[in-house]
Amino acid sequence: MRNISLCTLTALLLTLFSSGAIAAESEPQKAVLVTGANSGIGRNIAYRLAAEGYFVYAGARSKDDIKELSSIRNMQGVRLDVTVQSDIDSAVERVKADGRGLYAVVNNAGVVVVGLLAETDESELDFLFDVNVYGPYRMVKAFAPLLIESKGRVVNISSMAGIMSPPAYGVYSMSKHAIEAFTDTLAYELGTVGVGVSAIEPGPFNSNAAASVCERRLKQDHDASQSLMPALAAELDEICNATAKYPEPDAVADVVLQVLRSDKPKARYLAPSDPQQAEFIARNIVQQLAELRSGHYYSFSREELIDMLDDALTAE
Ligand SMILES: NC(=O)c1ccc[n+]([C@@H]2O[C@H](COP(=O)([O-])OP(=O)(O)OC[C@H]3O[C@@H](n4cnc5c(N)ncnc54)[C@H](OP(=O)(O)O)[C@@H]3O)[C@@H](O)[C@H]2O)c1
C-alpha cells in the first residue's frame, strides 16, 4: 500500500515537472521598481504587479505611504523623491543589498502644470521638468548597471500629450515629448546590451493629478482679464470646475505587464481610456505625416506614403 502511494506520488510529480507547473513556480521572482507608487496610475501598476507575483519596490515620499505600501504582499515601500539624488542612491543600495537584482524600472512619478505658454513663469518649467524629465533620466542613470545585468526593462509612463500638444498643457506636453525622445534614444542604446525600453501613452484616467494641478493653479493669483489672450485664459479658469469622470487606470497596468512579459517590447504603446482617443491620436500622427509629405525639395506622392505605411505595418 505504502509502495503504491509512493509510485502515485512519483508519477504525479513527474507529470507536474513535465507540464512545467513546478518549473514555472520555481522561477526566481522578478523585482520591479515603480516611482510614484502611492497614487493614481503608479499605485494601480504597483498593486497589479505585486498581485501577479512580481516583487515591487514601491517609490513614495511620505512615511505613511511607505508604511502602507510595505504592508502589501510582494511589496516594499521605498522613500523615493526623483528630484533628490540621495534618495535615488539609497534606493540603489537597498535593491543591491536585498540581492534580488532588478528586472525593471517603471518611471511613473509625474506632475502637471497648466497655463498659457507665453505667460508661464520659468519656475513652473523648472518644477515640472525636474520631476517629469530629469527624474526618469536620474533613475535610468542610477539603475542602468542592475538593468543591464538582468537584461531588463525601462517603462516610461509618458502621455498622449507626448504625441500631441493641446492648449494650456504646453509645459506638460513639452516634458512628455522629451520623454518620447528619451525613450527612443535609450531604446537604441540600452537595446545593444539587452535592455528593452518602452513608453506608454495613457489617455485620461482617474488619479490625483487633476486635484494637484488645480490646487497649484488656484494658489497662484490669475486674472484672466489681464492676460495677453483673455478668452483662452478665461477658458483655462474653467478647467478646475470640470466634473468629467475617468476610469481607473487598469488598462495602463495591463500594458505595463505586456511590456514586462514581452521578449521584444515595442518602443511605444497607446493606453487610451476610450476609442475616440485612440482614433484622435492616430489621426494626429497621420496629419503630421501628411504635412511632412510635401512642400519641400524631396516631396513624395500619396502612393509612396501608403507604401511606407505598409512597410511599417509589415515590420511590426
Ligand atoms: N491620470 C492621467 O490621466 C494621466 C494621463 C497620461 C499620463 N499620466 C502620467 O501618469 C503618471 C502618474 O500620474 P497620475 O495621473 O497617476 O497622477 P497622481 O495621482 O497625481 O500621481 C503622481 C505620483 O507622482 C508622485 N510624485 C510627484 N512628484 C514626485 C517626485 N518629485 N518624486 C517622486 N514622486 C513624485 C506623486 O507622489 P505624491 O503623492 O507624494 O505627490 C504621486 O505618487 C504621470 O507621469 C502622468 O504624467 C497620467
Side-chain angles (χ1 to χ4, degrees):
M1 189 69 183
R2 198 163 169 237
N3 278 347
I4 292 170
S5 56
L6 261 180
C7 284
T8 313
L9 188 64
T10 310
L12 183 66
L13 283 171
L14 282 173
T15 314
L16 283 173
F17 273 116
S18 62
S19 71
I22 286 186
E25 286 261 309
S26 62
E27 262 181 32
Q29 191 180 27
K30 284 180 173 167
V32 178
L33 190 155
V34 182
T35 64
N38 57 299
S39 169
I41 291 180
R43 184 182 175 90
N44 192 300
I45 293 169
Y47 276 63
R48 179 74 183 281
L49 294 185
E52 295 283 340
Y54 289 88
F55 185 86
V56 179
Y57 290 104
R61 297 190 295 174
S62 89
K63 271 191 183 151
D64 287 349
D65 286 335
I66 295 166
K67 195 171 161 203
E68 191 202 329
L69 292 164
S70 300
S71 71
I72 306 300
R73 185 167 180 262
N74 286 337
M75 204 183 288
Q76 173 63 57
V78 278
R79 183 178 160 82
L80 190 49
D81 185 324
V82 298
T83 67
V84 178
Q85 189 61 46
S86 58
D87 274 11
I88 297 175
D89 294 342
S90 303
V92 172
E93 289 315 311
R94 170 72 200 254
V95 172
K96 278 187 183 163
D98 283 355
R100 288 188 184 86
L102 189 70
Y103 185 65
V105 167
V106 180
N107 283 311
N108 163 78
V111 288
V112 186
V113 300
V114 289
L116 305 180
L117 274 182
E119 298 177 339
T120 298
D121 200 276
E122 199 173 317
S123 62
E124 294 286 279
L125 268 80
D126 290 342
F127 161 72
L128 187 130
F129 272 69
D130 202 9
V131 182
N132 291 12
V133 182
Y134 288 16
Y137 157 77
R138 292 183 190 108
M139 289 293 295
V140 166
K141 243 184 132 178
F143 284 98
L146 281 163
L147 295 171
I148 291 169
E149 201 179 311
S150 65
K151 298 206 182 307
R153 302 280 179 268
V154 175
V155 184
N156 296 320
I157 304 300
S158 180
S159 168
M160 286 184 177
I163 293 170
M164 48 87 180
S165 306
Y169 289 90
V171 179
Y172 179 68
S173 289
M174 285 162 68
S175 77
K176 293 300 186 180
H177 275 66
I179 286 300
E180 296 294 316
F182 176 65
T183 302
D184 279 333
T185 299
L186 212 56
Y188 282 119
E189 293 177 356
L190 289 182
T192 62
V193 283
V195 178
V197 182
S198 305
I200 298 179
E201 338 285 359
F205 285 95
N206 187 29
S207 80
N208 200 37
S212 307
V213 71
C214 287
E215 193 187 326
R216 191 170 171 84
R217 176 147 181 97
L218 294 173
K219 270 189 201 152
Q220 297 157 352
D221 203 11
H222 293 283
D223 178 355
S225 67
Q226 300 300 309
S227 167
L228 294 168
M229 293 146 277
L232 211 48
E235 265 182 49
L236 189 47
D237 282 346
E238 287 306 307
I239 282 183
C240 292
N241 297 327
T243 52
K245 293 261 181 291
Y246 298 109
E248 292 305 316
D250 301 345
V252 186
D254 282 347
V255 180
V256 173
L257 266 174
Q258 195 183 326
V259 174
L260 296 184
R261 288 173 176 165
S262 167
D263 290 338
K264 215 171 160 234
K266 298 190 295 177
R268 46 183 59 75
Y269 294 77
L270 211 53
S273 54
D274 71 36
Q276 287 79 19
Q277 291 158 21
E279 182 179 338
F280 181 73
I281 290 298
R283 285 190 180 279
N284 201 281
I285 291 170
V286 171
Q287 177 66 38
Q288 279 185 26
L289 263 179
E291 278 167 10
L292 295 173
R293 180 181 71 92
S294 61
H296 51 83
Y297 277 176
Y298 308 107
S299 298
F300 39 86
S301 67
R302 175 180 180 275
E303 288 67 32
E304 286 169 313
L305 187 64
I306 290 170
D307 282 349
M308 287 179 206
L309 182 61
D310 282 340
D311 288 348
L313 291 172
T314 309
E316 213 191 17

